[in-house]
Amino acid sequence: MKDSLFAENRVVSLERGWLYMESYKETEGEPVVIRRAKALRHLLENHEIVIDDYDLLAGNRTAKPRAGVISLEMSPYWIDDELDVFPTRPQDTFDISDEDKAYFREVLLPFWSGQSLNDWYQAHIDEEVAEAERQAAVTEMLAACKQRGTHTAIESTLALSLDDPEALVAACDVFLIDFKIADRERSLEVVVHGE
């Protein structure tokens, strides 16, 4: 079973992106929370299900084992930035066909640009938070929050240079974050609460 799981290189799966796109096209004008719920339903009803002979538990998030699932509704931009280096990047390498790259750039990226969670965040960010990001005081923390979505709780300890603690507090307020400064100059304990 393990040999068959690792027999092929990992690939990028665009299935979630185009199924979510199909649903979002059908639900335009509806409240975001309803659109997200209907998109999930559409995904669950239309996702390709593969049951292999060796499976003890049937089903997977993708048709290919260990494929990379991309959540374009969160942010399509980092994917576009890394699309050509997925097979060679130092972490989590994935193969992606030229055909899939073209589909991503010609269909999925134009559709999701301007309506992802990252776009909403950028449109609503407070200037103090934006300045803190520019100073890189909270970039790692905010990137983790944005990448994982607002429904996931994250606990981590970050070593940060706290040049502007008030901007850091403002950034934390945006994501409902509690923090304790352990060493006022170097470290910060962060707990992120979901919505």
Side-chain angles (χ1 to χ4, degrees):
M1 180 167 41
K2 184 177 178 183
D3 291 341
S4 63
L5 186 63
F6 290 92
E8 297 180 26
N9 290 342
R10 298 176 75 187
V11 297
V12 172
S13 172
L14 299 180
E15 182 184 44
R16 178 187 169 102
W18 62 261
L19 286 172
Y20 262 62
M21 180 181 68
E22 284 178 354
S23 179
Y24 267 62
K25 285 181 176 181
E26 294 172 5
T27 60
E28 212 164 308
E30 294 183 35
V32 172
V33 67
I34 300 299
R35 295 181 85 189
R36 287 180 184 163
K38 288 182 175 180
L40 177 60
R41 180 180 183 168
H42 185 71
L43 172 70
L44 295 174
E45 290 176 343
N46 295 283
H47 166 64
E48 181 181 354
I49 298 173
V50 175
I51 301 174
D52 292 314
D53 293 336
Y54 57 83
D55 282 346
L56 299 177
L57 296 172
N60 199 336
R61 291 175 26 154
T62 60
K64 297 254 185 194
R66 302 174 42 240
V69 177
I70 56 175
S71 303
L72 299 171
E73 74 279 7
M74 295 302 222
S75 178
Y77 310 111
W78 76 267
I79 298 161
D80 187 41
D81 292 342
E82 295 194 15
L83 202 58
D84 294 319
V85 298
F86 272 132
T88 58
R89 66 187 189 166
Q91 80 290 351
D92 295 329
T93 60
F94 294 93
D95 290 340
I96 184 164
S97 69
D98 289 337
E99 182 179 287
D100 281 352
K101 285 182 193 180
Y103 182 75
F104 174 83
R105 287 193 170 124
E106 295 167 13
V107 177
L108 295 175
L109 181 61
F111 178 81
W112 287 108
S113 293
Q115 64 176 341
S116 70
L117 180 61
N118 184 56
D119 293 306
W120 180 91
Y121 168 79
Q122 294 300 327
H124 293 85
I125 190 171
D126 181 80
E127 183 52 40
E128 282 185 30
V129 176
E131 181 58 30
E133 280 190 330
R134 285 190 287 276
Q135 292 179 14
V138 295
T139 300
E140 183 177 344
M141 176 180 63
L142 295 177
C145 295
K146 287 188 283 188
Q147 185 177 22
R148 288 169 179 82
T150 56
H151 298 289
T152 302
I154 306 162
E155 292 187 19
S156 63
T157 301
L158 304 174
L160 298 173
S161 170
L162 302 178
D163 294 331
D164 188 352
E166 290 179 17
L168 186 57
V169 170
C172 290
D173 287 344
V174 168
F175 286 99
L176 304 174
I177 297 169
D178 294 331
F179 67 95
K180 298 175 191 167
I181 299 175
D183 170 344
R184 283 217 165 277
E185 296 180 14
R186 299 293 305 156
S187 114
L188 172 72
E189 184 178 355
V190 178
V191 179
V192 180
H193 306 283
E195 291 182 321

